[in-house]
Amino acid sequence: MVDDIADLIAESLIVRDLRGHVTLWNRASESLYGFSSAAALGRSLHELLGTRHLFPMADIEARLLAVGSWEGEVGRHGADGRDLSVEVRWTLRRDVGGMPVDIVETGRNIAALSALEQETRLAAHRYRNLFQAMAAAFWEMDFSRVRMMIGGLMASGVTDLPRYMADNPDWVVEAMRAVHVVDVNDKVISLFGASRRDEIVGGHVAWCFPPQSRHVFAESLIAAARRQDRYATETTLTRLDGRFIDVLFTVCWPEEHKGRGHVLVGVIDITERKQAEEETRRSERRYRELFDHMPVALGQLDMRYMNSQLAARYANQPPPRNEMDIDLNFIQDILRSTKAIEVNPEAQRLFRARRREDMLIPIERFWRTRPETVRRTVLARLNGEPGYSEETKVDALDGTQIDVLYTVAFPPSTWERGTNIVAFIDIGDRIAALARVEQMQAELAHAGRVAMLGEMAASIAHEVNQPLAAIATSGAACLRWLNRAEPDLGEVRELAGRVVSDAQRAAGIIARVRDMAANRRADHVPLNLNELVEEATHFLRHEFQARQVELHFSPVSGPALVSADRIQLQQVVVNLAVNALQAMAEAKISPPRLSIAVMAVGAIWLRVVVEDNGPGLDPATSPRLFESFFTTKREGLGIGLAVCRSIVEAHGGSIEAGNRADGRGARFTFTLPSVKAATSGI
Ligand code: ADP
């Protein structure tokens, strides 16, 4: 049945088992090879037909078993001893378990193909090869003599062609000389510096392979012998004038040319590309050296995610003006998806990384403490700034926070390339020194305040003691006069009068002490209240930064003149702000927010409003806040607000404490006459 069908096929169909013994031989095989099916069945196929190929049959069969199929042209002889060139296709059949069973061969006698069919096949291949070589200088070469040389080698027992060629460079040169250049296109003439075609056509190719490229010729022969379609490599060739050119060298070894021994060689000049590559390599090396040896920590980031996110979000709207307009969650998302792709040794040191790879992670890890820095960076970038820099803190891998000067530039090229470089300079030492100085100052100030308190206490004790003693004495005398059988009301009246005036003296002393706390004689000049408040917040900028306070300041528009003592009024603003910071810190508010506004009240008054988002004021104690020595803090002195009130009142104003309208935090306001009102004496 199978045989019957096989007999209907016009092509030779032969099946052989894994030992090579024929198990099926159809009618077309009978007519091609001249052996009857009876004569062929059970025989070794290759013995029967004397199958020949450039490579040993054993190698090809091994490859067939490995890959499952093979096709090519083999030499055979028929029953009458005729030589045949047969194009065969071998397919390995497997059983359901995947085990090889036998090999199915279809074969066509190449000579028997019609002339038209041969020509068509040739033209198709030519066309394909020309197409491949289109951008190239191409050569058509006759390799038939080389083929004979290879055949000779095989006949003399050489099986390892690559080894032989490697060991015998002279043979390779000889093979180059045996090549005959059949034709070249115009590009060959110009590329190889010829003036006429016949300087190249008709000759050999030994001249264009310099010694360092001869292996390329050998490899292309080996590729051809292995029946690869194509062989391509980059190499250097020599022009006729002896100059070297870098080329992409391609050999197409069309099977149907094999009969004629012709190959097509395409050569593309890549000298310029090579030079550009070398230049890039050199500049990359320079950059690399800089990158590695700078005493600055450098990191290269993959910016693609950030770029796409920014583009998606801000393509159709004006850039944000304020950092608060950029959602911190958006920044966190960017930080999670942006990776460091390279860091230099200094960066490893600064960020305490044991290995470079430990740092090639999403940069969120480094910005845990201060993601706002990245938010400000994004703000600067969106607003077209050339770069951004600030003193900030980064998180090292061991969990420590490091003070750094952080810098990033936004050159368009690096953004387009999708990477960017950030730099960090360790300013820990400087900051530590500064912090020590600040701490010393704070300690000094504290000591000064304590000393002042001691002094005040002593002077209060001293000065108040005296009227108190007098009051006690007068009181006791009063009682004595009253306890008499006949009280002397005249004496009592006089003594009571003394008690009152001594008490007044004591009150006067307290008032003087308060004035002393207000410290100095006032020096009134016209001042811009907006500027004054801004200056006061400027004093506290380190404090704001350290505690990461969000400060909102809204000045009044229009004139804001008051007649005031600059230092005293600043002291008021500073006191109110520091109280707010302390209250928010105590309650661990995050983020602490302080807003200061200057506003006009009617035509003559100016008001400063200081609001925080701390716990607010306790209604039970708020009536006493402005009293001297009232404090709810363990280390508090309780004179800050008292001094504020003295100062504000000395400026003809008033101060008030309360809670914010929304109940979330305290609100202190003080109101002063504006300059016109002050000078007109209101
Ligand atoms: P001290 O700050 O030394 O305690 P002050 O006179 O400045 O003295 O403040 C008196 C008290 O007022 C504080 O102890 C605190 O209880 C309260 N206080 C002042 N400002 C605020 C505020 N912004 N929020 C809550 N409580 C405040």
Side-chain angles (χ1 to χ4, degrees):
M1 170 69 184
V2 173
D3 292 20
D4 291 348
I5 295 172
D7 285 343
L8 296 175
I9 296 172
E11 265 182 334
S12 154
L13 181 69
I14 300 169
V15 179
R16 61 185 192 271
D17 62 22
L18 293 179
R19 290 176 307 145
H21 293 171
V22 175
T23 57
L24 187 146
W25 186 269
N26 74 347
R27 197 159 290 157
S29 305
E30 289 186 351
S31 52
L32 174 58
Y33 298 109
F35 290 105
S36 71
S37 144
L41 285 173
R43 296 279 307 274
S44 157
L45 176 68
H46 296 329
E47 267 176 36
L48 180 69
L49 301 177
T51 313
R52 299 180 305 276
H53 188 267
L54 200 58
F55 279 121
M57 266 308 125
D59 288 359
I60 295 174
E61 301 263 18
R63 192 175 153 73
L64 169 66
L65 281 174
V67 180
S69 67
W70 184 83
E71 57 186 290
E73 206 179 302
V74 293
R76 281 177 170 166
H77 50 69
D80 57 3
R82 255 180 324 133
D83 262 330
L84 295 166
S85 239
V86 188
E87 187 183 68
V88 295
R89 175 190 291 266
W90 294 343
T91 311
L92 185 67
R93 279 203 302 187
R94 297 173 186 278
D95 65 17
V96 281
M99 293 302 289
V101 178
D102 53 20
I103 296 153
V104 180
E105 167 185 316
T106 54
R108 294 210 289 175
N109 182 2
I110 289 181
L113 293 177
S114 73
L116 181 64
E117 199 177 351
Q118 284 207 29
E119 195 47 52
T120 315
R121 282 167 42 136
L122 207 60
H125 278 277
R126 251 230 187 99
Y127 175 74
R128 193 179 70 211
N129 291 318
L130 280 182
F131 182 76
Q132 282 168 347
M134 213 159 55
F138 69 85
W139 312 53
E140 185 170 353
M141 300 180 191
D142 181 351
F143 266 55
S144 45
R145 280 177 57 209
V146 182
R147 228 163 49 112
M148 277 159 56
M149 287 173 67
I150 294 177
L153 286 184
M154 313 285 285
S156 69
V158 172
T159 50
D160 191 343
L161 266 183
R163 157 76 52 78
Y164 181 85
M165 292 190 198
D167 292 346
N168 297 278
D170 291 347
W171 185 93
V172 177
V173 174
E174 202 190 316
M176 289 176 181
R177 294 225 170 84
V179 172
H180 175 81
V181 179
V182 179
D183 198 6
V184 295
N185 70 352
D186 290 344
K187 281 211 181 101
V188 175
I189 314 267
S190 57
L191 183 58
F192 286 85
S195 45
R196 290 187 328 273
R197 187 173 299 266
D198 59 15
E199 280 178 72
I200 295 177
V201 174
H204 58 73
V205 294
W207 58 272
C208 64
F209 286 94
Q212 70 268 29
S213 302
R214 280 184 192 148
H215 68 281
V216 169
F217 181 80
E219 279 165 17
S220 59
L221 292 186
I222 292 159
R226 288 186 180 152
R227 302 189 147 246
Q228 290 172 2
D229 278 0
R230 230 161 69 95
Y231 167 78
T233 187
E234 286 185 14
T235 189
T236 304
L237 296 180
T238 322
R239 284 161 44 107
L240 281 172
D241 59 12
R243 285 200 351 240
F244 290 137
I245 41 174
D246 291 312
V247 298
L248 176 65
F249 176 88
T250 316
V251 189
C252 315
W253 198 291
E255 293 207 355
E256 35 298 304
H257 278 50
K258 201 174 161 267
R260 306 196 312 175
H262 282 200
V263 298
L264 290 173
V265 173
V267 174
I268 297 172
D269 183 6
I270 54 170
T271 311
E272 273 179 24
R273 202 193 80 200
K274 276 270 184 203
Q275 279 167 357
E277 269 174 15
E278 181 49 32
E279 183 48 43
T280 314
R281 258 199 297 278
R282 228 178 293 137
S283 76
E284 246 156 37
R285 231 181 353 252
R286 272 202 301 273
Y287 160 79
R288 187 80 249 168
E289 274 164 15
L290 260 181
F291 190 84
D292 282 348
H293 296 114
M294 289 267 278
V296 171
L298 297 172
Q300 190 175 14
L301 308 183
D302 181 342
M303 302 301 299
R304 285 172 303 181
Y305 185 77
M306 185 189 288
N307 285 349
S308 68
Q309 290 302 100
L310 292 184
R313 207 176 166 107
Y314 292 104
N316 299 318
Q317 51 172 310
R321 302 296 305 273
N322 195 310
E323 68 169 291
M324 297 299 168
D325 298 340
I326 304 174
D327 186 0
L328 207 49
N329 289 329
F330 173 65
I331 297 295
Q332 299 281 18
D333 173 57
I334 288 179
L335 290 175
R336 271 193 297 276
S337 304
T338 298
K339 266 194 182 167
I341 47 179
E342 191 53 279
V343 295
N344 71 351
E346 176 64 16
Q348 287 168 52
R349 193 196 62 74
L350 182 69
F351 285 87
R352 324 263 204 271
R354 241 177 274 142
R355 294 169 316 150
R356 181 179 137 274
E357 297 77 43
D358 295 345
M359 284 192 67
L360 307 185
I361 53 173
I363 58 172
E364 181 199 23
R365 180 73 188 70
F366 311 116
W367 291 109
R368 285 187 183 161
T369 309
R370 292 280 172 84
E372 298 86 359
T373 296
V374 178
R375 175 159 69 179
R376 287 187 282 273
T377 308
V378 167
L379 182 73
R381 152 126 165 85
L382 289 172
N383 283 282
E385 307 281 339
Y388 182 73
S389 180
E390 75 171 41
E391 288 183 12
T392 184
K393 278 187 198 304
V394 286
D395 295 88
L397 291 180
D398 66 356
T400 46
Q401 292 172 4
I402 302 166
D403 290 295
V404 293
L405 174 64
Y406 150 85
T407 310
V408 55
F410 313 133
S413 63
T414 50
W415 289 92
E416 277 154 21
R417 278 218 309 264
T419 65
N420 202 11
I421 296 207
V422 291
F424 302 90
I425 296 172
D426 188 351
I427 53 170
D429 295 347
R430 214 186 81 201
I431 293 277
L434 251 174
R436 271 198 301 281
V437 170
E438 271 172 18
Q439 196 191 341
M440 248 160 60
Q441 277 173 345
E443 276 166 8
L444 270 178
H446 185 70
R449 289 223 304 267
V450 171
M452 186 175 95
L453 182 68
E455 236 173 67
M456 267 179 359
S459 74
I460 292 165
H462 176 80
E463 298 202 32
V464 177
N465 237 352
Q466 200 270 330
L468 278 183
I471 289 169
T473 317
S474 304
C478 251
L479 282 177
R480 271 201 310 277
W481 289 115
L482 282 173
N483 286 341
R484 288 206 171 172
E486 264 178 58
D488 186 337
L489 290 183
E491 283 289 341
V492 170
R493 192 174 295 117
E494 199 199 315
L495 285 169
R498 265 194 230 160
V499 168
V500 171
S501 69
D502 280 335
Q504 274 168 351
R505 198 148 64 85
I509 291 164
I510 298 288
R512 272 219 315 282
V513 171
R514 215 162 56 188
D515 286 350
M516 190 183 82
N519 221 355
R520 38 191 295 288
R521 282 188 38 162
D523 185 10
H524 287 215
V525 289
L527 293 173
N528 181 321
L529 197 54
N530 284 335
E531 285 173 16
L532 187 135
V533 170
E534 246 191 317
E535 279 164 13
T537 58
H538 194 67
F539 290 143
L540 293 170
R541 67 190 186 284
H542 289 300
E543 199 82 3
F544 290 144
Q545 246 173 32
R547 299 177 190 233
Q548 304 201 39
V549 174
E550 285 178 17
L551 173 68
H552 299 266
F553 171 53
S554 36
V556 66
S557 57
L561 285 189
V562 290
S563 171
D565 180 291
R566 178 188 300 276
I567 293 174
Q568 286 190 350
L569 268 200
Q570 279 172 353
Q571 204 179 336
V572 173
V573 178
V574 168
N575 272 345
L576 296 180
V578 168
N579 274 347
L581 296 194
Q582 287 174 345
M584 292 187 289
E586 173 72 14
K588 300 201 166 44
I589 304 293
S590 172
R593 221 172 279 132
L594 179 70
S595 55
I596 305 184
V598 180
M599 52 185 72
V601 182
I604 36 176
W605 299 96
L606 286 168
R607 176 171 292 164
V608 178
V609 182
V610 180
E611 291 182 331
D612 60 55
N613 64 343
L617 303 176
D618 179 355
T621 55
S622 45
R624 301 182 52 209
L625 291 185
F626 293 101
E627 288 176 14
S628 297
F629 308 118
F630 174 82
T631 180
T632 58
K633 300 171 194 165
R634 216 149 47 89
E635 312 246 299
L637 290 182
I639 48 174
L641 289 177
V643 169
C644 287
R645 183 162 70 178
S646 308
I647 293 173
V648 171
E649 287 178 355
H651 282 79
S654 61
I655 183 164
E656 268 143 37
N659 281 324
R660 274 168 38 172
D662 61 7
R664 299 203 197 120
R667 169 187 162 100
F668 284 83
T669 60
F670 64 91
T671 314
L672 299 171
S674 63
V675 125
K676 247 195 190 151
T679 47
S680 62
I682 295 176

